[in-house]
Amino acid sequence: MKDAPLDLARLVAQDAEQALRLLHRVREAELTGGRPPVAPRPEIGASWERMARLGVLPDRQGERLEVGIEELEHRRRSSSLGGAKPTVESALTRLAETTAQMVAVTDADGTVLWRTGDAGVLRRAEGIRLEEGVVWGEHATGTNAIGTAIAARKALQVHAAEHFVGALAGWTCAAAPVRDPRDGRLLGTVDVSGPARGFHPSTLPLVASVARLAESDLRERHRAAVERLRSVAAPLLSRVRGRAVVVDPHGWTAAVTGMAPVDRVVLPKSFGAGRLWHPVLGVCTAEPLPGGWLLRVAAERPPEAASRVVLDVSGARRCWVAVSGSAGGWRKELTPRHAELLYVLAVHRTGRTAAELAADVFGDPSRAVTVRAEMSRVRRHLSGVLDHRPYRFREEVEVEVVAPADPSDLLPHSTAPAVLGARRDCLAP
């Protein structure tokens, strides 16, 4: 067996039919424990391993997972991608119609929100359940461009027998994640799918650039919304005594008075009107405004700091951190990278240097600068419970890790050496 993984684009360009046959042989060998003629691409091999752990059956599609009509409409209305949908359609629909393909836009769970494209392909897609309202996450449909792009958090193409489920082997698809420019949160994906014989290597970079174009559109919409909020806030803040800040629903600052300006004030998930304690601002009063919030900062001393942290890494797709203390608490969803970093710090309570964390997460101690940048983002949310030099949870803080029922499922999409080592340790006799 050759050690180097196959070069899909080059192989298809040389002989498309040979490529299809080779991919079928690779898939068959991998599923039966044989020796494939060439290694699958790394992202495909990693996804196949996840499918085996999740119990996805390769010989048939699993039970159809979908949302109802009312839930689908709710997701469409509440998704920020609705604002970018015209941008996606104008960039890709004509291409899809002229090349016998279809375009799909999904949410962060892989649920198809909208689709368009060639009428014949849309009808054929119903046979594999690539329809509006149907979930295309890996857990539901196996290795596919939508679900695997969500899991890997990067644009990728899945061609023919690279799909884990055999029923999808007649298709080729390319998908790219779309992130919220306000906070980096995954919003969903843009996908182009069609018959396998329509594969073209240029589809993936095109889909990736359209996803970036959608993010740029969302960024401009957000800038305009903050400007509108600033115009509302200006006369209001002129009458406020003391410290106050006006933020949009995501915490981005429109205006301040009596305090140093900040780019963003991270709002707790359970945020609402009334008196509250904020880990950075201290005691403040929140008042709703059209398009945002006015936070009046009290002069009194803030209550006792947070004393307990719960790190929930039990889910296959989402991880959370919850912070609580005498003044209440809050909960925040974590990015995959931040989940890895906090897991390492929860295991190593005495702390880790930037170089040690770089080795734990990237396998490369020289990437300390990257770690410092990521930890700076983490500490914006957890400044009350995290120390640095070294990075660690404060001694007085109780830390609980909620792990998956099967330890081998710990952060299943992670390739961090510290996480891989923890999985191996749980399998050791």
Side-chain angles (χ1 to χ4, degrees):
M1 174 181 132
K2 298 178 181 178
D3 293 329
L6 60 85
D7 184 334
L8 181 60
R10 181 178 179 182
L11 182 61
V12 174
Q14 290 176 342
D15 190 327
E17 292 300 322
Q18 180 187 357
L20 291 175
R21 291 192 296 270
L22 178 61
L23 290 175
H24 276 283
R25 290 167 56 200
V26 171
R27 177 178 178 274
E28 183 65 23
E30 288 284 339
L31 293 179
T32 58
R35 294 174 61 85
V38 63
R41 291 187 291 150
E43 57 267 31
I44 299 301
S47 177
W48 286 355
E49 291 178 2
R50 290 195 295 271
M51 297 311 94
R53 291 199 302 271
L54 291 172
V56 177
L57 299 176
D59 56 346
R60 63 183 177 87
Q61 283 187 267
E63 181 180 355
R64 179 185 176 122
L65 296 180
E66 61 181 320
V67 300
I69 297 297
E70 291 185 2
E71 174 64 18
L72 176 60
E73 288 302 321
H74 169 71
R75 294 192 183 201
R76 285 171 170 171
R77 288 192 302 269
S78 59
S79 174
S80 299
L81 287 177
K85 177 173 171 280
T87 299
V88 174
E89 290 185 341
S90 65
L92 291 176
T93 300
R94 182 170 178 80
L95 168 71
E97 291 174 342
T98 56
T99 58
Q101 297 185 92
M102 61 169 284
V103 179
V105 177
T106 81
D107 64 13
D109 292 326
T111 304
V112 179
L113 300 179
W114 299 280
R115 66 173 201 160
T116 187
D118 178 80
V121 174
L122 290 173
R123 287 193 297 271
R124 182 175 171 182
E126 295 173 2
I128 60 168
R129 310 169 187 168
L130 187 48
E131 304 169 273
E132 292 171 345
V134 179
V135 180
W136 272 72
E138 281 191 332
H139 65 292
T141 321
T143 303
N144 71 90
I146 293 170
T148 307
I150 290 173
R153 295 298 199 270
K154 70 176 185 178
L156 54 83
Q157 203 157 11
V158 178
H159 181 52
E162 289 185 319
H163 290 89
F164 188 78
V165 175
L168 307 181
W171 287 77
T172 187
C173 47
V178 180
R179 296 174 177 83
D180 192 326
R182 296 168 295 192
D183 55 14
R185 178 174 55 92
L186 179 69
L187 295 175
T189 69
V190 175
D191 170 80
V192 171
S193 296
R197 286 179 171 77
F199 171 90
H200 197 283
S202 66
T203 304
L204 180 59
L206 175 61
V207 170
S209 26
V210 170
R212 301 294 80 76
L213 187 62
E215 292 175 348
S216 178
D217 188 25
L218 293 172
R219 187 177 297 107
E220 179 57 29
R221 289 171 180 271
H222 176 239
R223 186 200 63 77
V226 171
E227 287 296 327
R228 288 194 297 271
L229 179 58
R230 184 172 292 120
S231 66
V232 171
L236 183 64
L237 287 183
S238 67
R239 300 190 297 271
V240 172
R241 294 182 178 180
R243 296 185 297 157
V245 57
V246 173
V247 299
D248 76 355
H250 297 269
W252 289 96
T253 302
V256 300
T257 185
M259 57 185 289
V262 292
D263 290 336
R264 188 182 182 205
V265 176
V266 179
L267 303 179
K269 191 172 182 64
S270 57
F271 185 78
R275 193 173 175 84
L276 58 96
W277 175 74
H278 188 276
V280 175
L281 298 177
V283 178
C284 54
T285 302
E287 302 173 18
L289 294 176
W293 295 91
L294 168 64
L295 303 180
R296 299 176 185 264
V297 183
E300 64 191 76
R301 183 178 178 181
E304 182 182 336
S307 58
R308 188 167 189 266
V309 172
V310 176
L311 177 63
D312 189 338
V313 291
S314 61
R317 290 172 294 157
R318 292 182 175 179
C319 298
W320 304 86
V321 63
V323 179
S324 58
S326 60
W330 54 272
R331 184 171 181 255
K332 177 176 174 55
E333 184 176 351
L334 297 170
T335 67
R337 181 69 70 211
H338 292 174
E340 291 170 342
L341 289 166
L342 290 179
Y343 172 76
V344 172
L345 295 181
V347 172
H348 297 277
R349 287 302 304 270
T350 57
R352 305 293 277 173
T353 65
E356 288 172 332
L357 277 177
D360 293 329
V361 173
F362 300 109
D364 181 0
S366 68
R367 296 188 63 178
V369 172
T370 302
V371 164
R372 291 191 186 97
E374 290 292 345
M375 287 303 301
S376 176
R377 298 184 184 99
V378 172
R379 295 183 74 241
R380 290 176 190 171
H381 311 293
L382 298 170
S383 59
V385 297
L386 278 180
D387 278 333
H388 65 296
R389 298 180 183 174
Y391 295 108
R392 63 185 180 90
F393 284 102
R394 292 182 176 173
E395 293 180 2
E396 66 273 17
V397 175
E398 176 189 355
V399 179
E400 177 187 354
V401 177
V402 180
D406 184 346
S408 63
D409 289 333
L410 174 67
L411 299 174
H413 307 307
S414 173
T415 58
V419 176
L420 297 178
R423 292 190 206 133
R424 284 195 301 269
D425 291 344
C426 78
L427 297 174

